[in-house]
Amino acid sequence: PALTTINSLFAQISGLKVADKISLLTDLYKEYNVSSFDEFVFWGDIILNDFDDIDKYLVDAEKLFRNIKDLHDLDGGYEFLSDEQVKAIKSFWSTFNKYSGGSKEREFISLWDSLYGIYTRFKAGLEAKGEAYEGMIYRSVAEDVKCRRELPEALKGYRKIVFVGLNALNECEKTLLTYLKKEGVADFYWDFYGEEITDEANKSSLFMKENILRYPSTYPLPDGQNGINLAEREIKVIGVPSAVGQAKYLQQILPGLDPFATSVVLPDENLLFPVLNSIPEEIDEINVTMGYSLKNSQVASFMGHIAPLWKKSKEINGVTHFYHANAIALLGHKFVQDMKGVGEKAREIRRRMIESNMIFVPATLFEGDDLIGLIFRQRPESMADYQIALLEELQKGLEPLDKEFVLGYFKCINRLKGFNLSIKDETWFKLLAQLVSAISIPFNGEPLSGLQIMGPLETRALDFENVIILSCNEGKFPSKSVSNSFVPYNLRKGFGLPNYEFQDSISAYHFYRSIYRAKRVFLLYDTRTEGVNRSGEVSRFVKQLKYHHRAN
């Protein structure tokens, strides 16, 4: 059978091309009345995320972006909302209108009144080019199938479409699944088993009842589905005072386990390389299914030092001078230190800087034909050409894996360069960081053999006898990150847009589902408390297992 993702299925049906982030930002900028692209970048990214949510959840954008001057307006024209949703919207506007005389409130109202116009013009411009963002594709398919009398052309070749491994459905997905069910071509299989997931007090069950009721399976699966009783499961919670230390601890866990029946789950993808370096030598077959974010690579780390280097640089008597801390950070980077002939020169320059107590270091101190001479040169006219030259020189001394990351970074620079934007260096670096953050470098492996290393999302529909989950800290799993949004919480809740409670339930589902059929579960967490983002607190999931579900 043909295999595809839900995202690819929507794109296949719509026929629209997914535009990249920078292209979307430049098109949105044309509709957003601000003085410069540099000022717009941050706000544009938030607006794009909001538009994406609005479309995926089939929200009436005109009603959402309406300024409710009189709360009586909510009594008419909002029949599609429940009483609870209307209550949430009234709660926001009643509180907000009390303070509407202030400058912040006026700014909010001004922006709010213009967003619907921006939304409609932006989408019309994309559609004219045959392009779209993901939510726009989803909405076009959902609205199309509502009035269809036969299958879309892209689906006519399939006798049956089976959906497996889904959980939290947005409104567009529900619309498509309902349509395909009505046409008699869809079948659905849900992994809602185990006393933890079926417990209504557990957030992991948030979507369970609706999914099973609306989309039943043609062939019901047996109750229990070979799950292990919670009391029979061996669950070990292990505190380690280090993030990398958790990876090293695998050397004590893995030797006694069958690697072919074991998965290592990484909520924090930064631990991928420490984990790969900690796998015992006798385990020679490893499959990484999560990919690795380009932004967390050593290449991105190296290139990330370039922005502050130039931001703090200054011209003195026609010569570019670099702030000592930025220069030392680059001179001490692994890539510079490990490059043959370059590392020695870097250490010598660093010694001279410290001995002379230099605050700003002239570019003349770094002159040469090697990587150091390329980095610390006179201010370049083109930041793109400068970075490309750096990458070309850098890749000469790198391992094949790092060269893959260099290639990914190189493509991002070329893509951004192709837009010919007239922007400041600071904005260039911001946009480049956004492009890089969206790139994941895939790994090749054999999914049916060896030790499996994956993220929580990749565990869907897969089961292992042994499950090892690292970073079981509050704030890591579940994550504490909340996306920025122009839509306040009460309005998101009122119009059925996803919020932090929604994200918590998804994380809970992935956690409890991944351990349900495991005989042995190892939960590792970082016990360190120093630093702003380190509490040393174990994940709420671990506490729930102990106190609510009574695991020993």
Side-chain angles (χ1 to χ4, degrees):
L3 299 175
T4 188
T5 64
I6 190 78
N7 305 50
S8 299
L9 183 66
F10 270 91
Q12 185 182 349
I13 297 171
S14 74
L16 292 169
K17 178 186 174 184
V18 180
D20 65 59
K21 177 63 74 69
I22 303 302
S23 175
L24 290 171
L25 281 171
T26 53
D27 285 348
L28 184 59
Y29 172 64
K30 296 171 186 175
E31 308 298 339
Y32 194 86
N33 188 24
V34 291
S35 57
S36 72
F37 193 79
D38 304 86
E39 296 175 15
F40 168 74
V41 169
F42 175 74
W43 306 113
D45 201 40
I46 297 175
I47 292 172
L48 282 178
N49 289 333
D50 283 340
F51 286 177
D52 192 66
D53 282 346
I54 286 167
D55 282 344
K56 283 182 177 176
Y57 287 85
L58 295 176
V59 170
D60 187 325
E62 185 175 12
K63 286 186 166 61
L64 171 64
F65 292 131
R66 184 179 176 189
N67 176 6
I68 309 294
K69 294 183 178 67
D70 187 345
L71 291 177
H72 290 298
D73 292 347
L74 277 170
D75 296 331
Y78 290 81
E79 297 84 0
F80 59 94
L81 297 176
S82 68
D83 291 342
E84 185 180 347
Q85 288 176 308
V86 171
K87 184 178 178 182
I89 297 171
K90 282 187 173 182
S91 173
F92 170 76
W93 284 110
S94 63
T95 304
F96 184 84
N97 287 338
K98 289 178 183 176
Y99 308 101
S100 57
S103 60
K104 294 295 182 184
E105 286 78 12
R106 287 196 300 271
E107 287 176 17
F108 177 82
I109 289 294
S110 175
L111 172 63
W112 198 252
D113 284 343
S114 63
L115 279 175
Y116 180 64
I118 294 171
Y119 171 81
T120 52
R121 294 191 302 272
F122 174 55
K123 290 183 67 173
L126 287 174
E127 194 170 0
K129 297 191 298 180
E131 295 180 348
Y133 52 88
E134 190 173 86
M136 184 175 163
I137 287 175
Y138 271 55
R139 188 166 201 148
S140 71
V141 171
E143 292 177 344
D144 176 57
V145 298
K146 282 181 180 178
C147 55
R148 271 191 171 274
R149 294 188 176 179
E150 60 178 18
L151 282 175
E153 197 64 36
L155 300 182
K156 287 184 177 178
Y158 302 123
R159 293 198 314 273
K160 205 74 172 176
I161 301 173
V162 183
F163 294 91
V164 178
L166 300 179
N167 176 36
L169 302 174
N170 60 51
E171 293 303 315
C172 289
E173 290 167 341
K174 290 177 185 177
T175 301
L176 179 62
L177 267 60
T178 300
Y179 168 76
L180 295 175
K181 174 190 171 186
K182 183 180 176 183
E183 292 297 314
V185 297
D187 198 1
F188 315 92
Y189 292 93
W190 310 98
D191 201 351
F192 294 121
Y193 297 96
E195 59 185 279
E196 303 100 271
I197 289 180
T198 56
D199 185 344
E200 291 188 8
N202 192 322
K203 284 190 176 181
S204 64
S205 67
L206 184 62
F207 309 103
M208 178 183 66
K209 280 188 175 179
E210 182 186 4
N211 288 343
I212 292 175
L213 185 64
R214 292 180 65 167
Y215 309 108
S217 306
T218 303
Y219 304 101
L221 299 174
D223 288 340
Q225 272 297 287
N226 304 319
I228 306 299
N229 186 285
L230 188 59
E232 298 174 357
R233 231 175 293 164
E234 181 186 342
I235 301 177
K236 291 186 178 181
V237 181
I238 303 164
V240 182
S242 164
V244 175
Q246 295 176 68
K248 298 297 182 187
Y249 200 88
L250 291 175
Q251 295 173 351
Q252 299 182 44
I253 299 174
L254 289 173
L257 304 177
D258 177 6
F260 294 91
T262 302
S263 71
V264 178
V265 183
L266 304 179
D268 181 2
E269 66 177 16
N270 291 316
L271 290 183
L272 177 59
F273 280 100
V275 163
L276 291 175
N277 292 328
S278 302
I279 303 297
E281 291 183 4
E282 57 267 25
I283 300 178
D284 55 2
E285 290 188 76
I286 301 170
N287 180 47
V288 180
T289 60
M290 60 190 290
Y292 192 73
S293 177
L294 178 57
K295 70 178 181 181
N296 292 326
S297 67
Q298 284 285 347
V299 172
S301 165
F302 175 82
M303 297 300 286
H305 288 300
I306 300 300
L309 178 75
W310 289 104
K311 184 178 181 179
K312 289 195 173 183
S313 67
K314 58 171 63 176
E315 298 295 313
I316 302 175
N317 298 325
V319 178
T320 301
H321 284 62
F322 302 99
Y323 188 59
H324 69 283
N326 303 126
I328 286 175
L330 274 162
L331 291 172
H333 194 276
K334 182 178 184 298
F335 284 166
V336 175
Q337 290 293 313
D338 290 352
M339 189 171 286
K340 189 175 180 181
V342 176
E344 293 86 344
K345 180 179 176 181
R347 289 187 285 275
E348 173 59 24
I349 293 174
R350 185 175 182 276
R351 184 186 61 78
R352 290 173 60 187
M353 287 170 58
I354 294 172
E355 286 180 355
S356 302
N357 199 25
M358 295 183 180
I359 304 299
F360 280 91
V361 189
T364 52
L365 185 66
F366 306 94
E367 287 177 345
D369 297 325
D370 54 19
L371 179 63
I372 294 176
L374 270 175
I375 298 172
F376 303 98
R377 46 164 287 185
Q378 290 290 108
R379 178 171 287 277
E381 291 184 10
S382 166
M383 196 56 68
D385 292 339
Y386 163 73
Q387 287 181 296
I388 288 171
L390 280 184
L391 290 174
E392 288 175 344
E393 180 66 26
L394 184 66
Q395 61 89 29
K396 293 177 182 178
L398 297 182
E399 298 294 324
L401 181 59
D402 284 320
K403 287 184 178 181
E404 287 292 321
F405 290 114
V406 167
L407 178 61
Y409 211 100
F410 178 82
K411 288 178 179 177
C412 289
I413 293 174
N414 267 344
R415 178 65 180 141
L416 185 55
K417 182 183 177 184
F419 284 102
N420 295 316
L421 298 172
S422 180
I423 53 178
K424 301 175 185 175
D425 286 348
E426 185 178 355
T427 306
W428 165 271
F429 287 120
K430 283 182 181 177
L431 291 174
L432 183 59
Q434 287 190 6
L435 272 183
V436 167
S437 68
I439 302 298
S440 181
I441 305 299
F443 290 87
N444 294 321
E446 173 50 60
L448 298 181
S449 68
L451 179 69
Q452 304 291 313
I453 300 175
M454 55 186 62
L457 192 65
E458 287 76 28
T459 62
R460 291 176 299 176
L462 297 176
D463 298 297
F464 301 88
E465 285 188 11
N466 312 301
V467 175
I468 305 167
I469 306 178
L470 277 64
S471 304
C472 284
N473 282 81
E474 193 65 21
K476 290 289 185 182
F477 195 31
S479 171
K480 67 179 177 183
S481 61
V482 179
S483 299
N484 289 320
S485 173
F486 278 119
V487 185
Y489 169 78
N490 271 24
L491 290 185
R492 292 189 77 88
K493 186 175 181 180
F495 282 91
L497 290 168
N499 50 57
Y500 68 86
E501 294 166 334
F502 180 92
Q503 297 300 330
D504 275 359
S505 67
I506 292 175
S507 294
Y509 174 77
H510 290 322
F511 175 78
Y512 288 108
R513 202 225 62 80
S514 67
I515 69 172
Y516 172 56
R517 298 178 182 89
K519 293 180 180 178
R520 285 166 292 274
V521 179
F522 301 86
L523 306 174
L524 280 66
Y525 72 101
D526 189 342
T527 61
R528 290 177 298 170
T529 57
E530 73 275 9
V532 176
N533 296 318
R534 297 189 186 122
S535 66
E537 184 180 0
V538 70
S539 169
R540 72 189 72 167
F541 299 148
V542 177
K543 293 180 179 178
Q544 287 167 5
L545 282 174
K546 183 175 181 180
Y547 297 109
H548 186 66
H549 300 293
R550 295 179 175 82
N552 294 326

